[in-house]
Amino acid sequence: MPKSTTWDMTGSWDAKGGWSTQGRCDEHHATPRGLTPAGLDRMRQVLARPVESGAIPGLVALVSRGGDTHVEVMGTMTAGGGEPMGRDTIFRMASATKPVTAAAAMILVEECRLRLDDPVDPWLPELADRRVLTRIDAPLEETVPAHRPITLRDLLTFTFGFGAVLAPPDAYPIQVAIRELGLDTTSPAFGPDEWMRRLGELPLMRQPGELWQYHTGSDVLGVLVARVAGQPFASFLRERIFEPLGMKDTGFHVPEHQIHRLPVSYAHDPATGELVVWDEAAGGKYSRPPVFAAGGDGLVSTADDYHAFYRMLLNKGTLDGERILSRASVELMTSDRLTPEQKAEKDAFGDHFGRHGGYGFGMAVRTHRRDLASPGQFGWDGGLGTSVHADPAEDLVGILLTQTAQDSQDTPRLIRDFWTTAYQAAG
């Protein structure tokens, strides 16, 4: 008979302000490819350290393998104490949004409403007849014609010729223009059509297909999906992905009656390294529907909701009888789609972008065994403190959600330690 075990742990702040671990762990031993008790104990100890020190106010961690799912819940919703984290805490997913956006685009490919290698001009006329900078530091007027139109594949692989400039602020004229047009924010005060119009005022930085450049492709994809589907991007995601997968707490904002489940979001003071509030819960950025639902970094969600999405990908497009994508689409999304030349800038930034080696559609793909993760692992992290990946070789999903930005060493180290212990727990 399958074995089922459930236990709960509680905790509280001690006199010195340290948090005693709290959490919940559910195990269902239905297959031999499960999780080891010793490995899970080690994970609990490792995750507790930065919470007890106060470096990370709180976290929710989930790891699943085969029929086993284990969840750790630690710390509080605000730094220094207050309400404890819960398994159902809603987190700002930041760039962990990107794989969901890629999946939405692939749904339209499967319906033959979009094609991977067709120009996107009919739907995004703002990107037609592009001009391209002669070099990244050139004046905006110094351009040449684009060699070819931008395709859906270019957007999915972040090679459409425009993206984050990996240089100090305002180092180049294109960065100044991006800032002046209000395109350098994750929450613009204008809608998707105006965002596209402003983006269309600027030249591309590279020729289409030339180089991987981070982020902007996902925001453009969200606009493209909405226009092709003839409905708001948020509505499309809800109807075609979230509702079928039971992702009831995923969206672009947290409703007022659920705002108590959203923790305060923290960054670090660059001068002191101290935690500072980046976004409040009530009255903050995610307390109301955004004017622009950003496909690159706009979602909020829970560990269990994102677990459903990644189990769907691990199961080749289906979960509990609901098919979201075909097996072929998932395999295409989760395999390396870049040439060595396209990866040049990505890999130059080491652990920040190059750790995995490859990139599929909206997510990293592991191409070599650099640490404990298997080649073929796929997923992505979020700059506000999230990490979500799946490993087909191990039938493993790992999710670490915090409210502490990756702008110091604390959160990146915690993420790496989480993955080290996740693989130990896999035996």
Side-chain angles (χ1 to χ4, degrees), residues 33-381:
R33 290 174 61 82
L35 301 165
T36 69
L40 296 175
D41 286 344
R42 177 64 173 162
M43 174 182 290
R44 185 177 305 111
Q45 295 169 18
V46 168
L47 294 178
R49 291 172 189 164
V51 177
E52 291 169 350
S53 72
I56 304 292
L59 61 85
V60 176
L62 181 152
V63 59
S64 72
R65 188 172 189 244
D68 286 8
T69 297
H70 177 89
V71 177
E72 292 285 351
V73 183
M74 299 181 183
T76 55
M77 303 283 279
T78 58
E83 291 297 316
M85 283 282 181
R87 179 167 178 164
D88 67 346
T89 295
I90 300 171
F91 290 86
R92 302 157 182 84
M93 299 306 295
S95 286
T97 300
K98 290 174 169 64
V100 178
T101 299
M106 290 305 296
I107 290 173
L108 295 176
V109 170
E110 293 197 346
E111 294 178 348
C112 298
R113 300 164 77 180
L114 283 172
R115 298 173 184 85
L116 286 172
D117 296 308
D118 279 2
V120 295
D121 298 358
W123 302 105
L124 301 172
E126 299 92 340
L127 298 183
D129 302 319
R130 291 289 77 205
R131 304 285 300 182
V132 184
L133 292 173
T134 56
R135 60 186 191 280
I136 189 62
D137 61 348
L140 299 189
E141 300 78 22
E142 192 174 308
T143 62
V144 296
H147 296 333
R148 63 167 176 81
I150 295 166
T151 67
L152 174 60
R153 189 185 300 271
D154 296 328
L155 295 175
L156 286 164
T157 57
F158 292 175
T159 60
F160 83 103
F162 196 98
V165 180
L166 304 180
D170 291 355
Y172 307 134
I174 187 68
Q175 292 172 281
V176 175
I178 290 170
R179 176 175 53 78
E180 291 177 345
L181 287 171
L183 299 173
D184 61 341
T185 175
T186 59
S187 54
F190 40 84
D193 291 341
E194 176 62 16
W195 186 87
M196 283 301 308
R197 186 193 69 77
R198 297 187 187 200
L199 182 65
E201 290 184 11
L202 299 177
L204 299 179
M205 303 175 194
R206 304 280 184 170
Q207 289 288 342
E210 181 182 354
L211 191 72
W212 183 93
Q213 292 179 277
Y214 190 51
H215 182 71
T216 311
S218 285
D219 284 344
V220 177
L221 276 176
V223 180
L224 176 63
V225 168
R227 290 182 179 181
V228 173
Q231 64 183 120
F233 183 48
S235 298
F236 184 87
L237 292 183
R238 184 178 63 252
E239 293 174 11
R240 304 302 300 274
I241 297 178
F242 301 155
E243 289 181 353
L245 294 178
M247 298 171 66
K248 57 185 176 61
D249 292 315
T250 304
F252 288 96
H253 80 290
V254 180
E256 184 177 359
H257 69 284
Q258 297 288 354
I259 201 69
H260 63 281
R261 294 168 56 196
L262 181 70
V264 175
S265 179
Y266 294 95
H268 294 86
D269 185 308
T272 66
E274 297 295 318
L275 289 175
V276 294
V277 173
W278 182 82
D279 183 53
E280 294 280 6
K285 172 183 171 183
Y286 295 89
S287 65
R288 55 192 176 275
V291 177
F292 178 33
D297 59 8
L299 287 178
V300 294
S301 191
T302 65
D304 285 303
D305 275 14
Y306 253 60
H307 185 221
F309 179 75
Y310 271 76
R311 291 304 305 185
M312 178 273 293
L313 294 177
L314 206 56
N315 292 336
K316 304 297 185 182
T318 187
L319 183 69
D320 297 333
E322 291 285 349
R323 179 162 291 282
I324 306 300
L325 292 165
S326 69
R327 173 192 55 80
S329 286
V330 173
E331 291 179 354
L332 184 65
M333 291 173 62
T334 59
S335 57
D336 187 14
R337 311 314 316 164
L338 300 183
T339 66
E341 293 76 19
Q342 290 170 329
K343 296 176 185 178
E345 185 168 287
K346 179 181 74 68
D347 290 351
F349 280 80
D351 283 357
H352 198 62
F353 291 127
R355 186 175 188 85
H356 300 84
Y359 204 83
F361 289 171
M363 68 187 90
V365 178
R366 180 83 57 169
T367 59
H368 56 278
R369 188 180 282 278
R370 173 176 172 176
D371 43 36
L372 302 188
S374 310
Q377 182 206 51
F378 58 83
W380 200 237
D381 294 349

